Amino acid sequence: MTDAFAGTGAVADAAGTALYQQVQHFYAQQMQLLDDGHAEEWARTFTDDGVFEVGGEAVRGAADIAVAARRTTDKFAADGIQRRHWTGMLTVSGTAGGDEVTARCYAVVLETPAGGDPVVRRSTVCADTLVRTGGRWQVRHRRVTRDGLD
């Protein structure tokens, strides 16, 4: 495997740039699905046997991930809280033409109560194994660690 970008941040090649853009676009679409309350569609961005791990607790399988995501999104909606996940500082390692990459980014979670001001609720690191299936990227394994706790 090679880094899509060299250690200095320089573009390795056009294929590496395209891979980086694909993964960045995947995260933008995926996070917006969750933030807009589309829990089941968001869960379909995981493989059928995908793992979502936060703080040592893991949910396994896209079906169970969907149930957990729906429960969480419904709770925030009932409480009148809009959540936004902001990702950045993305790194991607893999082969540009390959079907599996590792990706790591920072994810900041903002919460805005109805009529209120946004607050930073979480600062995390998201480490993923992504696989290309049927021409689209999916998460095989996600590990989220919270700054200051994990």
Side-chain angles (χ1 to χ4, degrees):
M1 289 190 160
T2 58
D3 285 337
F5 287 85
T8 62
V11 175
D13 58 24
T17 300
L19 173 64
Y20 185 87
Q21 290 172 336
Q22 288 173 19
V23 173
Q24 190 172 40
H25 186 72
F26 167 79
Y27 280 124
Q29 289 183 315
Q30 187 194 45
M31 297 304 176
Q32 288 181 34
L33 286 171
L34 185 61
D35 292 343
D36 290 343
H38 303 293
E40 293 78 15
E41 192 173 349
W42 176 80
R44 285 192 294 274
T45 67
F46 286 77
T47 60
D48 289 341
D49 62 348
V51 177
F52 182 75
E53 180 184 351
V54 179
E57 300 281 325
V59 179
R60 298 178 186 281
D64 287 342
I65 291 169
V67 169
R70 171 54 54 208
R71 184 172 41 247
T72 300
T73 56
D74 286 352
K75 180 185 180 326
F76 282 108
D79 292 344
I81 297 172
Q82 175 63 61
R83 292 186 102 198
R84 298 282 186 226
H85 291 75
W86 191 266
T87 61
M89 306 306 289
L90 174 66
T91 58
V92 180
S93 298
T95 305
D99 290 331
E100 181 174 312
V101 298
T102 57
R104 184 176 188 272
C105 67
Y106 298 158
V108 174
V109 181
L110 303 165
E111 292 181 2
T112 306
D117 293 321
V119 295
V120 174
R121 185 59 59 204
R122 304 271 186 277
S123 175
T124 68
V125 174
C126 180
D128 284 349
T129 300
L130 302 176
V131 295
R132 192 183 339 240
T133 54
R136 66 185 184 110
W137 290 106
Q138 289 184 291
V139 178
R140 177 182 291 152
H141 191 276
R142 170 166 293 162
R143 182 171 187 258
V144 179
T145 54
R146 280 183 54 189
D147 294 344
L149 294 181
D150 297 325

